[in-house]
């Protein structure tokens, strides 16, 4: 790092990514010329990644409270009450830039990082999910990126023994130069024993545990905040290598120590490593911390204080212990063969003071550093509404079964089995709904209750109408939880956008957040944690706006849940919700007709809630035998997916609804397909609740048939659905 | 890929982690050696060894070709270095 | 019946094995840490699945050299029943209790899915609750399950009827298409000479609950109970 | 394991698959090279490369020690061969 030898002036600050005004405010806080180490600390603390300077104003508008919320955004992860003395701890986190540079290690360390966020709070991780966005399948880099990212996610989660139970995967040329790798972890902890990061108790020891510190990822945090350009290959050595084995030991050691009363505060070292964890712990506790770098376990010789403070070596934690508990803690970490070092003390100075040898290499007042962290109200442009398309916009004489096969076999519509079979999705023995359904279900160990988990976002809607897209992403996650029989509890979100300094991108951000906010409020689905990833663009080409929602729901009895697959023949197939034939921004138009046109379907929360609660109650009453929410590809794709999953055919009757293609493939929201043995009861109950319910078909046979004229075997559907991804990945 | 006994050359490629890059495998091997009571073992690093048969005769051309292979496939140059030996 | 599950750093199916054993035997197994020096007298030793020592070097290689393995090898030679599941199977081959080795999957990918296996012999400690030739649906989850041994060893295994399970299709046909990892002769599990030690790649402990992975693994544990409590 | 700059010796160990043992990784590399249009590549085999720092001075003793390490841990002699080079 040549930077470490520079004297600090405005040019050096600029190289660290500080603007002129940021430089000035640093100078006025310090009242003197800062050391290089101090500059490094300012630069990472004020980076987009750590300070949320472009997004904070808007994040504050999200609803974050509710009777179920134990801890909202601001800590390592969100915490919700799940009853019986337990809490679920969950969050989603991006590792986009590192995964583009080195897909395997980038994705792996992303998974490692989010799991640390969860067990830092005292929760044992019980499930991982991953939301992935790749470029055009024909782009020369895509295959290599898919293979590396999937291997990295699997490699880390599998080794840790945490099941990876779900996610989503899209391809679009907008991600050619900037893939998205968002990883989510859910953990479970005793509700009365959540660990937080506020350092307290003047004189208490500050302890470092985990792996040794090396020169990994120095400036990773600032890298994650800078737009990509052709020369970003130069930034390669900053990639970290993950060691899931060490993280597994760290998990077990931390949970073992947490079972004692030794810990006052704990914080994982993620982005900006020791700097960020120290400053945050001090800030949250309103105290100072003095660090002695001579005590930090070091992997390489000759590391400078600058490097030690900024290293992003993985699998490390910082803790404040009760005095006198050091030996108990040390014994546990030694048992697990991990480094343990007392590296500092809590002080009353309100400063973070860093010593190395006889020198004080940094002495920064915490409060001004955190509070003066820049906040921007970036200019934003509202999006231009797209026209609403009429239902007869679809090609008149397209054979629906040909379109269906095209959709199910397309890059975005095909089965993700090739991916999830590389993930251990069963370890820990509690995965009661595996990947492939609407939500995964993970049983709470030793009970008959469970958590439903999903991730969702439809970027093409967000691009067409960001606010609707934001509403839809949150509503779809909510719907996916409902569709297995869960009560949605709360959400986490990963806001992936381009360069916020461009008003049109900032506009996408603002409108998506407005949409999520409206949905979260209306659906009692508060936001308890999240992550923002900006500057996702290469040479000025931004990704599609991609606000990924991770949803969590609670299941009181896992025997009162359903899955997507048809369970028997001779059952009625019922469509719940209103169908107008909304083809604007649909998968059908895009995939089958190559048209990216029209306004996306509106999301009406009153209808959403009415239909959703109706469905959930049906599931709880055992009134339905299968359920699938309707999303990409509309009714026919949903029915086909149910047929494929259950290996049972069905006949579908449009009852002369026209235009047929719009009825079959339109993407009106708030809809579900269910099967039942007693449709009369459901139809009349629906009437009572003001929910629209139409019998559209019957299960049975080995084929899917529409209006007795169009037909295709379930086997042929399965073959085309399962073919694309493995075949694509097998090609050289 | 066919097995050609007529290959005129062999290339041996060593792929090692760059200095400073964490090597969890090497670390685990080092631990295990210590547990097996091997004394005085310092750092342990693990890399890959790839042997190729090349159906050509000019060692310099072969070297250039294998170097190209390393850059494009064999090594992950983000974190790995390579060394090539051509055996005639 | 008393059993012990040996926990290595990086084991992660130890809890799953314990749940299955407790369900079958009515008592929780002893969980023994790899650095514990004395292993209590037990009727069954289980080496669980997972990534002991991160699977670094070779799966099971470093664990097989752990001090406790010397004691386990001694017990194994004395005839104490031992089963190694997945990573535990790798430890058994690496420690020499079973012949051969488990190499990287032929597809070079981790693979987690339900497979079918055929029970060869239903007279053993581990299979007496099944019918001979029965086909079981059991999950696999591994990176290195590609069994390899030299021809002499394979012949010996075949001649002595020591191939416990073979990958098969749903109908029980042992086919190449049904082989998930390239394993020689579709081998999914093998016994030692006396039949007291079994290594297998599939996870019977993941198939003990209709809500999770089915119940075809239950017989594995009830077999053990029947054989060892008699 | 500690990083000792005073190590007097280095050992380089190559671990290769025995002849006749299938090498799916090598085969996959061969396929990928062909797909990248590298012509005339015969058999490809992948092995491991392990580098050790040894805190001792006698190369013969070092060799014997590393050989012992190979037998006891580094190689699985069912399928692997090893070669050791001591660098002074
Ligand atoms: N990267 C992934 N990892 C694990 N599971 C995935 C991944 N991508 C998709 N899936 C699974 O594939 C199924 C279909 O995904 P998707 O079409 O996004 O579902 P939905 O439309 O219900 O949101 C889901 O069960 C999902 O969990
Ligand atoms: Mg769904």
């Amino acid at each position: 790092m040549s930077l470490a030898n520079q004297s600090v002036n405005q040019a050096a600050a600029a190289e660290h990514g500080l603007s002129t005004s940021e430089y000035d405010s640093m100078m006025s806080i310090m009242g003197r010329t800062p050391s290089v180490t101090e500059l490094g600390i300012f630069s990472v603390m004020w980076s987009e990644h750590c300070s949320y300077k472009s997004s904070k104003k808007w994040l504050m508008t999200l609803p974050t409270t509710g009777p179920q919320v134990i801890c909202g955004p601001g800590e390592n992860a969100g915490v919700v009450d799940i009853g019986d003395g337990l809490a679920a701890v969950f969050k989603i986190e991006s590792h986009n830039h590192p995964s583009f540079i080195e897909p395997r290690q980038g994705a792996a360390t992303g998974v490692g990082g989010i799991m640390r966020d969860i067990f830092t709070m005292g929760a044992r991780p019980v499930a991982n999910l991953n939301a992935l966005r790749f470029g055009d399948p024909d782009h020369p880099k895509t295959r290599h990126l898919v293979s590396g990212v999937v291997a990295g996610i699997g490699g880390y989660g599998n080794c840790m023994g945490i099941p990876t139970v779900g996610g989503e995967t899209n391809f679009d040329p907008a991600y050619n130069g900037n893939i998205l790798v968002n990883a989510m972890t859910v953990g479970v902890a005793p509700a009365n024993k959540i660990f937080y990061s506020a350092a307290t108790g003047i004189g208490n020891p500050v302890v470092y545990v985990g792996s040794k510190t090396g020169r990994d990822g120095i400036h990773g945090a600032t890298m994650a905040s800078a737009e990509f350009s052709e020369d970003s290959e130069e930034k390669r050595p900053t990639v970290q290598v993950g060691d899931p084995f060490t993280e597994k030991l760290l998990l077990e050691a931390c949970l073992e120590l947490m079972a004692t009363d030794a810990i006052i505060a704990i914080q994982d070292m993620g982005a900006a490593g020791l700097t960020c964890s120290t400053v945050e712990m001090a800030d949250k506790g309103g105290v100072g911390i003095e660090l002695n770098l001579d005590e930090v376990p070091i992997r390489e010789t000759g590391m400078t204080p600058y490097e030690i403070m900024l290293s992003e070596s993985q699998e490390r934690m910082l803790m404040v212990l009760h005095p006198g508990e050091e030996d108990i803690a040390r014994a546990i970490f030694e048992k697990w063969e991990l480094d343990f070092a007392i590296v500092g003390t809590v002080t009353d100075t309100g400063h973070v003071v860093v010593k190395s040898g006889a020198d004080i290499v940094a002495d920064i007042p915490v409060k001004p550093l955190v509070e003066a962290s820049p906040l921007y109200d970036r200019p934003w442009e509202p999006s231009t509404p797209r026209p609403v398309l009429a239902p007869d916009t679809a090609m008149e004489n397209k054979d629906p079964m040909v379109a269906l096969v095209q959709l199910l076999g397309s890059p975005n519509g095909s089965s993700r089995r090739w991916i999830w079979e590389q993930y251990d999705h069963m370890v820990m023995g509690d995965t009661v709904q595996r990947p492939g359904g609407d939500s995964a279900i993970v049983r709470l160990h030793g009970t008959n209750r469970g958590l439903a988990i999903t991730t969702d976002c439809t970027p093409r809607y967000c691009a067409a109408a960001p606010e609707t897209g934001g509403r839809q992403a949150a509503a779809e996650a909510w719907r996916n939880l409902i569709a297995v029989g869960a009560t949605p509890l709360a959400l986490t979100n990963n806001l992936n956008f381009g360069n916020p300094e461009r008003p049109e991108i900032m506009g996408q951000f603002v409108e998506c957040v407005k949409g999520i906010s409206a949905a979260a409020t209306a659906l009692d689905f508060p936001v308890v944690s999240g992550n923002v990833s900006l500057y996702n663009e290469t040479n000025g080409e931004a990704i599609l706006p991609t606000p990924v929602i991770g949803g969590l729901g609670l299941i009181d009895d896992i025997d009162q849940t359903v899955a997507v697959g048809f369970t028997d023949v001779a059952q009625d197939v019922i469509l719940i919700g209103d169908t107008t034939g909304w083809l604007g921004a649909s998968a059908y138009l895009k995939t089958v007709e190559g048209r990216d046109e029209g306004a996306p379907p509106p999301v009406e929360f009153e209808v959403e809630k009415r239909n959703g609660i109706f469905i959930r109650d049906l599931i709880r009453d055992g009134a339905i035998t299968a359920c699938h929410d309707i999303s990409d590809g509309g009714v026919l794709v949903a029915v086909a997916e149910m047929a494929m999953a259950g290996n049972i055919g069905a006949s579908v009757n449009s009852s002369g609804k026209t235009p047929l293609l719009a009825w079959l493939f339109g993407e009106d929201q708030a809809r579900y397909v269910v099967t039942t043995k007693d449709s009369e009861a459901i139809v009349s109950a629906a009437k009572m609740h003001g929910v629209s319910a139409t019998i559209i078909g019957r299960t049975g046979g080995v084929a899917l048939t529409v209006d007795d004229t169009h037909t295709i075997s379930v086997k042929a559907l399965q073959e085309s659905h399962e073919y694309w991804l493995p075949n694509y990945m097998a090609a050289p | 890929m066919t097995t050609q006994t007529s290959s005129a050359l062999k290339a041996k490629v060593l792929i090692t982690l760059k200095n400073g890059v964490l090597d969890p495998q090497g670390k685990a091997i080092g631990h295990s050696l210590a547990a097996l009571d091997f004394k005085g073992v310092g750092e342990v690093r693990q890399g890959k060894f790839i042997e190729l048969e090349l159906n050509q005769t000019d060692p310099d051309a072969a070297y250039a070709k294998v170097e190209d292979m390393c850059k494009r496939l064999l090594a992950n140059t983000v974190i790995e270095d390579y060394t090539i030996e051509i055996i005639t | 019946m008393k059993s012990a599950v040996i926990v290595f750093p990086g084991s992660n199916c130890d809890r799953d094995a314990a749940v299955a054993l407790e369900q079958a035997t009515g008592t929780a197994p002893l969980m023994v840490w790899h650095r514990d020096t004395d292993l209590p007298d037990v009727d069954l030793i289980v080496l669980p699945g997972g990534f002991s020592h991160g699977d670094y070097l070779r799966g099971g290689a470093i664990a097989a050299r752990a001090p406790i393995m010397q004691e386990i090898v001694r017990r194994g030679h004395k005839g104490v029943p031992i089963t190694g599941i997945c990573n535990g199977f790798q430890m058994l081959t690496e420690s020499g209790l079973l012949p051969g080795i488990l190499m990287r999957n032929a597809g070079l990918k981790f693979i987690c899915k339900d497979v079918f296996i055929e029970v060869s012999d239903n007279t053993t400690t581990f299979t007496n609750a099944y019918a001979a030739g029965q086909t079981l649906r059991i999950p696999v989850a591994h990176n290195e399950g590609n069994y390899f041994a030299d021809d002499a060893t394979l012949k010996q295994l075949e001649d002595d009827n020591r191939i416990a399970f073979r990958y098969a299709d749903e109908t029980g046909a042992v086919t190449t298409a049904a082989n998930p990892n390239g394993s020689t002769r579709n081998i999914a599990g093998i016994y030692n000479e006396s039949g007291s030690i079994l290594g297998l790649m599939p996870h019977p402990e993941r198939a003990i609950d209709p809500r999770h992975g089915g119940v075809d693994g239950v017989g594995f544990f009830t077999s053990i109970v029947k054989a060892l409590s008699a």
Side-chain angles (χ1 to χ4, degrees), chain A, chain B, chain C:
Chain A
M1 277 287 133
S2 64
L3 288 171
N5 305 321
Q6 282 171 333
S7 65
V8 172
N9 52 28
Q10 192 159 345
E15 259 188 71
H16 276 72
L18 291 187
S19 67
T20 314
S21 65
E22 289 166 0
Y23 173 76
D24 291 342
S25 100
M26 170 177 75
M27 293 303 282
S28 85
I29 288 171
M30 294 303 289
R32 60 175 164 81
T33 306
S35 70
V36 161
T37 306
E38 288 165 337
L39 171 61
I41 293 172
F42 273 95
S43 81
V44 294
M45 288 309 299
W46 289 359
S47 69
E48 189 66 58
H49 191 84
C50 295
S51 72
Y52 289 87
K53 57 191 168 193
S54 301
S55 58
K56 202 169 217 160
K57 171 184 157 93
W58 297 101
L59 296 181
M60 314 262 276
T61 65
L62 292 167
T64 59
T65 54
Q68 71 277 39
V69 177
I70 295 177
C71 173
E75 280 289 338
N76 285 300
V79 185
V80 293
D81 193 337
I82 53 172
D84 285 358
L86 295 177
V89 179
F90 70 107
K91 183 175 189 284
I92 191 166
E93 176 88 51
S94 65
H95 231 209
N96 304 336
H97 292 73
S99 302
F100 185 75
I101 292 172
E102 210 307 276
R104 192 186 169 112
Q105 295 300 337
T109 50
V111 173
I114 188 62
M115 280 198 270
R116 274 194 305 286
D117 277 332
I118 302 311
F119 67 83
T120 303
M121 299 199 73
R124 180 175 284 280
V126 298
N128 286 326
L129 288 89
N130 59 111
L132 311 177
R133 301 290 183 303
F134 298 104
D136 188 340
D138 292 329
H139 188 275
K141 275 197 167 150
T142 301
R143 190 176 282 105
H144 161 75
L145 290 167
V146 174
S147 125
V149 164
V150 170
I153 291 172
Y156 210 102
N158 298 346
C159 183
M160 287 287 289
I162 312 302
T164 302
V165 298
E168 52 182 340
T169 313
N170 284 173
F171 296 87
D172 191 285
Y175 305 102
N176 278 353
N178 221 302
I179 62 172
L180 302 182
V181 175
N182 295 174
M184 171 173 167
T185 299
V186 182
V188 174
N192 62 359
K193 221 168 169 209
I194 304 294
F195 289 82
Y196 297 100
S197 58
T200 55
I202 308 307
N204 284 346
V206 175
V207 165
Y208 169 120
V209 298
S211 278
K212 292 187 189 348
T213 297
R215 289 194 178 87
D216 320 58
I218 292 171
H219 272 184
T222 34
M223 176 173 97
S225 309
E227 201 178 307
F228 261 17
S229 61
E230 298 293 358
D231 72 355
S232 57
E233 312 258 309
E234 294 300 308
K235 294 185 171 145
R236 281 175 158 183
T238 62
V239 168
Q240 310 100 317
V241 169
D243 180 0
F245 170 59
T246 296
E247 177 127 320
K248 165 74 173 161
L249 304 183
L250 188 60
L251 162 68
E252 298 301 339
C254 284
L255 292 180
E256 194 172 322
L257 181 59
M258 284 162 167
T260 73
D261 287 321
I263 299 175
I264 292 175
I266 177 164
Q267 170 77 31
D268 69 302
M269 290 188 229
L274 197 49
T275 292
C276 204
S277 50
T278 308
V279 172
E280 281 186 9
M281 291 181 89
D283 176 51
K284 292 228 170 80
V287 296
I289 286 181
E290 182 175 305
L291 287 181
N292 180 358
L293 296 188
D294 301 341
E295 300 299 327
V296 172
I298 296 296
R299 197 175 79 225
E300 299 177 60
T301 49
M303 284 186 70
T304 64
Y306 176 96
E307 290 172 325
I308 296 170
M309 287 306 290
L310 268 56
S311 160
E312 295 194 349
S313 288
Q314 301 288 296
E315 294 97 21
R316 303 178 299 160
M317 297 266 193
L318 203 62
M319 314 186 288
V320 176
L321 296 182
H322 282 290
E325 304 285 339
E326 296 92 328
D327 290 343
I328 292 172
R330 186 190 303 274
I332 290 173
F333 282 87
E334 280 174 359
K335 167 185 164 191
W336 291 98
E337 300 180 27
L338 293 165
D339 274 289
F340 175 98
I342 298 169
V343 295
T345 30
V346 178
T347 65
D348 61 2
T349 60
H351 283 228
V352 163
V353 176
V354 183
K355 290 187 172 164
S356 172
D359 300 330
I360 291 178
V361 294
D363 182 348
I364 305 179
V366 174
K367 226 170 174 201
L369 169 63
V370 174
E371 282 176 2
S373 126
L375 278 192
Y376 296 135
D377 183 2
R378 299 212 186 263
W380 60 278
E381 253 168 39
S383 59
T384 322
R386 285 200 197 173
V388 172
L389 302 183
D392 65 2
T393 184
M395 236 183 257
E396 246 172 58
N397 49 9
K398 182 84 198 175
D399 182 321
M401 290 327 202
V402 172
L404 175 64
V405 168
Q406 231 174 311
L407 280 164
L408 291 176
S410 69
N412 284 324
S414 58
S415 164
R416 272 53 178 130
R417 182 186 307 280
W418 184 89
I419 296 175
W420 78 63
E421 283 187 349
Q422 293 183 60
Y423 300 156
D424 190 337
H425 48 265
M426 295 184 238
V427 63
M428 293 175 87
D430 287 315
T431 307
V432 301
Q433 268 203 35
R434 300 181 184 182
D438 284 331
S439 290
I441 300 178
V442 175
R443 177 170 50 195
L444 292 165
H445 192 63
T447 75
N448 214 39
R449 303 194 311 132
L451 297 174
I453 319 164
T454 181
T455 71
D456 291 282
C457 179
T458 312
R460 64 172 194 281
Y461 292 169
C462 297
E467 181 160 354
T468 305
R471 292 161 72 98
Q472 196 275 342
E476 186 177 346
W478 189 85
R479 224 177 279 150
N480 274 310
L481 299 173
I482 289 282
V484 298
T487 302
L489 282 184
L491 68 85
T492 181
N493 66 112
N494 205 140
L495 306 174
N496 305 277
F497 291 83
N499 180 350
E501 294 160 38
R502 288 166 51 191
E504 71 278 18
I505 301 285
M506 195 61 205
Q508 293 176 338
F509 179 85
V510 170
E511 293 184 344
C512 280
V513 170
K514 286 184 175 181
I516 293 169
S517 189
T521 304
L523 300 172
D524 301 316
F525 199 29
V527 179
V528 295
S529 57
N531 175 252
V532 178
S533 172
L534 301 174
Y535 297 96
N536 288 293
E537 44 184 274
T538 302
N539 300 330
E541 296 229 13
I543 59 163
L544 300 181
T546 313
V548 174
I549 304 296
L552 181 81
L554 184 63
I555 291 168
D556 289 325
D557 180 354
I558 54 166
D559 291 319
Q560 290 172 336
T561 57
V562 293
V564 297
F566 289 150
T567 50
D568 205 353
V569 299
Q571 298 194 344
D572 280 331
V573 180
I574 302 180
L575 169 61
I576 304 288
D578 292 304
T579 302
T580 68
W582 195 288
L583 283 172
S586 66
Y588 168 86
L589 270 199
K590 184 147 193 207
T591 304
V592 179
E593 299 198 10
R595 296 161 59 196
D596 188 359
E597 290 170 26
V603 180
E604 289 159 34
F605 300 128
E606 276 318 304
V607 182
E608 194 70 65
K609 255 177 122 160
R610 196 187 315 134
N611 295 359
I613 289 167
F614 179 68
I615 289 283
R616 193 200 58 198
D617 290 345
L618 289 182
I619 295 172
R620 289 200 183 161
D621 296 343
I624 57 180
T625 51
C627 179
H628 192 11
D629 73 308
I630 297 180
S631 58
D632 287 356
V635 176
L636 192 59
V637 164
V639 173
E641 286 172 347
M642 298 175 82
M644 290 187 293
N647 229 341
I648 294 173
S651 57
V652 171
N653 194 334
S654 72
S655 310
K657 300 270 181 2
T658 53
L660 181 61
L661 290 171
W663 187 77
L664 291 173
F665 297 112
E667 295 180 3
D668 294 283
Q669 298 293 295
R671 294 186 303 160
Y672 305 80
V673 177
V674 303
T675 56
T676 179
K677 295 175 203 158
D678 183 2
S679 47
E680 234 166 78
I682 289 179
V683 172
S684 69
K687 204 168 271 165
M688 234 170 59
H689 287 87
V691 169
S692 117
T694 320
I695 301 173
I696 57 161
R698 202 162 167 79
T699 63
V702 294
L704 179 61
T705 305
V706 172
D707 291 345
D708 300 324
T709 41
H710 313 284
T711 187
I712 184 166
S713 74
V714 174
K715 192 150 185 283
L717 291 176
Q718 286 164 334
E719 275 164 11
S720 81
H721 191 50
E722 296 295 345
Y723 176 82
W724 185 80
L725 189 52
N727 191 58
Y728 170 70
M729 292 308 298
Chain B
M1 192 194 70
T2 52
T3 310
Q4 296 275 357
T5 46
S6 67
S7 297
L9 293 176
K10 260 199 175 175
K12 299 192 173 210
V13 183
L14 288 184
I15 295 170
T16 51
L17 284 171
K18 287 198 162 130
N19 262 340
V21 173
L22 177 71
D23 178 9
Q25 307 224 45
K27 206 169 101 182
I29 295 169
H31 266 300
S32 181
L33 288 173
L36 288 173
D37 237 14
F38 286 105
K39 301 243 156 61
V41 181
E43 198 177 7
V44 181
R45 307 277 285 174
Q46 175 169 335
K48 279 181 207 150
F49 171 56
I50 297 171
E51 255 179 318
L52 305 137
E53 287 178 4
L54 293 175
N55 206 343
Q56 62 190 107
T57 45
D58 174 10
D60 290 343
Y63 188 97
K65 188 176 191 171
V66 175
E67 176 148 42
D68 195 24
M69 292 177 184
C70 284
K71 287 189 183 145
R72 288 172 60 196
L73 178 74
L74 303 181
N76 176 349
T77 51
V78 179
I79 50 174
E80 292 171 333
D81 289 327
Y82 52 85
T83 55
I84 299 166
E85 193 190 347
I86 302 290
I87 292 161
T88 49
Chain C
M1 189 201 126
K2 272 203 319 200
S3 57
V5 176
I6 315 298
V7 185
F8 297 87
S11 292
N12 63 34
C13 302
D14 43 332
R15 186 181 87 179
D16 299 353
V19 167
L21 286 166
E22 181 162 3
Q23 178 181 310
T25 64
T27 34
L30 298 168
M31 305 304 280
V32 180
W33 180 236
H34 77 124
R35 278 209 305 225
D36 290 354
T37 39
D38 51 18
L39 176 62
D41 267 328
V42 288
D43 306 308
L44 172 76
I45 296 169
V46 178
L47 301 173
F51 285 70
S52 59
H53 298 276
D55 257 5
Y56 298 141
L57 193 63
R58 300 177 304 275
I62 295 178
R65 275 79 181 170
I68 198 163
M69 281 304 288
Q70 289 173 14
E71 178 58 19
I72 289 170
V73 169
R74 217 175 51 80
R75 300 272 176 103
H77 288 315
K78 272 174 45 187
V80 175
I82 302 175
T83 183
I85 301 169
C86 196
N87 192 221
F89 185 10
Q90 294 161 352
M91 293 175 206
L92 289 173
T93 58
E94 281 284 343
S95 65
L97 282 172
L98 292 174
I101 183 171
L102 292 142
M103 302 190 13
R104 186 90 189 268
N105 293 346
L108 301 179
K109 287 195 291 288
F110 186 93
I111 170 160
C112 176
K113 64 175 189 183
D114 289 344
V115 299
F116 294 94
I117 55 174
E118 187 204 30
V119 181
S120 320
D121 178 352
N122 70 336
T123 63
T124 76
T125 304
F126 306 94
T127 56
N128 59 67
Y130 296 118
Q134 188 176 340
T135 308
L136 312 176
R137 182 190 179 107
I138 309 265
V140 291
H142 59 249
N143 230 336
E144 296 173 5
N146 181 352
Y147 184 78
F148 176 87
D150 58 33
D151 289 339
T153 305
L154 290 169
K155 182 168 186 308
Q156 187 89 57
L157 289 173
E158 301 257 17
D159 290 351
D160 298 350
N161 200 17
R162 285 166 53 197
I163 297 174
F165 304 105
R166 280 190 163 90
Y167 299 110
D169 67 15
E170 197 166 355
T171 68
V174 176
T175 64
T176 309
N179 186 338
N181 54 27
S183 189
T184 309
R185 303 190 193 187
N186 282 40
I187 288 175
I190 57 168
Y191 297 107
N192 68 339
E193 277 148 36
S194 71
S196 62
I197 301 177
L198 167 67
L200 74 168
M201 288 315 295
H203 286 273
E205 81 282 16
R206 294 189 185 187
I208 57 158
D209 180 343
R211 274 308 204 162
H212 182 239
V215 291
D216 283 4
V218 170
F220 181 82
F221 295 96
T222 51
S223 296
I224 293 171
V225 173
K226 201 165 143 214
L228 302 185
S229 323

